[in-house]
Amino acid sequence: MSSVAEPKAPPTNRRNLTVKEYGGLKSTLCVGCGHDVITRQITQAFYEMGVDPHSVAKMSGIGCSSKTTAYFVDRGHGFNAVHGRMPSIATGSALANPNLLYIGVSGDGDTASIGAGQFVHLLRRNLPMIYIVENNGVYGLTKGQFSATADYGSRAKGGALNDLPAIDICTMAIELGCNFVARSFAGDPKQLVALLKAALAHKGTAMFDVISPCVTFNNHEGSTKSYKFAKDHEELLHEISFVPFFEQITVDYKEGEVKEVEMHDGSKIRLRKADVDFDPTNKVEALNMLRRCYDSGEFFTGLIYVNEEKPDFLTQLNMVEEPLATLPQERVQPTAEDLKEIMAELM
Ligand SMILES: Cc1ncc(C[n+]2csc(CCOP(=O)(O)OP(=O)(O)O)c2C)c(N)n1
Ligand code: SF4
Ligand SMILES: [Mg+2]
């Protein structure tokens, strides 16, 4: 008698959830779009870290990239803001409820063109959130115009030459005080998952510039944001692995060519030297390296800058730890005595 094998249960994480339970709606983006690859890596990183899906707050603006928040963690909260205005919505939300895990997904147009003003203030405030720029060098949703990150001298699908200099999002982020700055490529999923896991342990803004080819409008010869160009020109700064605080005991730390960065929660980023001798905890070195890449057209990926010292925006403001809506009357209303004291100070 032949016995039918029981179907194998899918693996689960420390919350007893499967990776499928971190999924979202079916994508409506073009087949092969880099943004969908990034969505898969976000899903994987959140699953591997055992994030509580109900605690996730997904923020976005407008663009094909901004649609991607609908495609992961559908048990989380979400807010699709006006084009380029996601940072102010995220700031208000984080102040009102610091207990959620904020992740913003934006585009190069949404961030570096219409949203540039909002983006710079998010960075200088060090709002606790993961901020991903799905960078394809074009306005994909409105049919492929050059964005502010399109490289000088690159060509549009119809042959037009871009004669404006590109904004380097990573340089801008470091200059403005961001303490976790990474560059990655949608075609390098392993690196992106490790970086995202590290970002989940970071306290403050973690900014990702991820080259995410637009297969419909910017994947041709002459584009510097195509799969081929990125594959041919990608240089690894280091091989990155991440050890969350809950896995410490099982890890065997090797000496030598490994640099470790300790996160505020005790987790560790391990950076194994690739071809380049580079220290991501040195701000001047990070800026110099970015300048060299900008001038030479090289495309380095990895953790560019990290600093676990600086307090995030909520700490700087001395905010309470609970959501404001849950505070009882006596904690939000000054007593008659307090008011008298304040009035006396103003006399
Ligand atoms: C206030 C406002 N201005 C302009 C638009 C038109 N618009 C929609 S998406 C977009 C650009 C999106 O580009 P990007 O952020 O790079 O996202 P992608 O589609 O490339 O992923 C523009 C200009 C809009 N929706 N709202
Ligand atoms: S137009 Fe480009 S960015 Fe938009 S979904 Fe298609 S491939 Fe992606
Ligand atoms: Mg774009």
Side-chain angles (χ1 to χ4, degrees), residues 28-35 64-65 136 138 140-141 212-217:
T28 56
L29 303 181
C30 307
V31 175
C33 176
H35 302 348
C64 300
S65 36
N136 52 19
V138 288
L141 191 71
S212 175
C214 168
V215 289
T216 303
F217 297 112

Side-chain angles (χ1 to χ4, degrees), residues 180-184 188 190-192 194-195 234-241 257-261 269-281 285-286 289 299-306:
F180 187 112
V181 177
R183 176 165 281 150
S184 195
D188 188 349
K190 196 171 153 233
Q191 182 196 54
L192 188 51
L195 284 166
E234 185 187 9
E235 299 280 352
L236 283 184
L237 281 173
H238 30 235
E239 282 170 37
I240 175 165
S241 52
E257 303 289 280
V258 175
K259 179 171 176 67
E260 255 181 29
V261 181
I269 298 175
R270 306 179 76 216
L271 302 160
R272 186 175 294 278
K273 204 166 96 177
D275 291 341
V276 201
D277 199 2
F278 173 71
D279 176 9
T281 60
E285 209 178 303
M289 195 275 301
F299 163 53
F300 280 102
T301 62
L303 184 60
I304 293 171
Y305 180 61
V306 65

Side-chain angles (χ1 to χ4, degrees), residues 49-326:
M49 288 292 280
V51 166
D52 172 11
H54 295 103
S55 75
V56 177
K58 303 173 291 176
M59 301 282 154
S60 64
I62 299 290
C64 300
S65 36
S66 293
K67 287 166 77 176
T68 64
T69 46
Y71 309 144
F72 63 88
V73 190
D74 58 4
R75 297 180 185 181
H77 309 266
F79 198 111
N80 200 198
V82 173
H83 193 24
R85 272 62 163 196
M86 176 255 277
S88 51
I89 301 291
T91 306
S93 309
L95 286 170
N97 188 349
N99 291 352
L100 299 178
L101 192 166
Y102 292 89
I103 174 165
V105 184
S106 180
D108 39 319
D110 196 66
T111 288
S113 297
I114 196 168
Q118 297 233 341
F119 180 57
V120 299
H121 293 286
L122 176 120
L123 295 171
R124 64 186 269 276
R125 286 176 170 153
N126 200 21
L127 194 75
M129 77 179 298
I130 297 175
Y131 189 106
I132 298 174
V133 184
E134 297 185 336
N135 189 352
N136 52 19
V138 288
Y139 301 161
L141 191 71
T142 52
K143 305 217 177 301
Q145 303 86 352
F146 284 127
S147 79
T149 65
D151 289 312
Y152 178 78
S154 60
R155 290 207 176 263
K157 203 175 173 185
L161 188 75
N162 179 38
D163 50 12
L164 289 173
I167 289 178
D168 188 298
I169 298 178
C170 292
T171 303
M172 186 157 112
I174 297 176
E175 287 285 5
L176 286 159
C178 185
N179 289 296
F180 187 112
V181 177
R183 176 165 281 150
S184 195
F185 166 46
D188 188 349
K190 196 171 153 233
Q191 182 196 54
L192 188 51
V193 170
L195 284 166
L196 282 165
K197 285 162 72 178
L200 283 165
H202 178 67
K203 209 166 180 280
T205 311
M207 204 294 299
F208 284 79
D209 177 27
V210 188
I211 305 304
S212 175
C214 168
V215 289
T216 303
F217 297 112
N218 206 14
N219 201 31
H220 50 274
E221 205 169 308
S223 161
T224 57
K225 301 276 192 280
S226 63
Y227 278 113
K228 180 160 183 354
F229 186 92
K231 269 199 187 114
D232 290 350
H233 293 81
E234 185 187 9
E235 299 280 352
L236 283 184
L237 281 173
H238 30 235
E239 282 170 37
I240 175 165
S241 52
F242 177 75
V243 187
F245 68 92
F246 53 83
E247 279 177 15
Q248 293 292 345
I249 308 140
T250 57
V251 173
D252 162 31
Y253 292 106
K254 281 194 202 120
E255 294 302 319
E257 303 289 280
V258 175
K259 179 171 176 67
E260 255 181 29
V261 181
E262 182 156 349
M263 311 303 280
H264 85 275
D265 66 353
S267 302
K268 290 202 169 78
I269 298 175
R270 306 179 76 216
L271 302 160
R272 186 175 294 278
K273 204 166 96 177
D275 291 341
V276 201
D277 199 2
F278 173 71
D279 176 9
T281 60
N282 182 328
K283 194 178 210 168
V284 175
E285 209 178 303
L287 286 168
N288 282 341
M289 195 275 301
L290 284 168
R291 186 72 236 176
R292 278 202 304 279
C293 300
Y294 189 92
D295 290 343
S296 64
E298 289 159 295
F299 163 53
F300 280 102
T301 62
L303 184 60
I304 293 171
Y305 180 61
V306 65
N307 171 5
E308 284 300 290
E309 307 289 307
K310 189 179 161 187
D312 69 16
F313 190 48
L314 306 182
T315 313
Q316 290 169 49
L317 291 185
N318 201 18
M319 292 294 291
V320 292
E321 283 173 10
E322 309 96 306
L324 299 185
T326 63

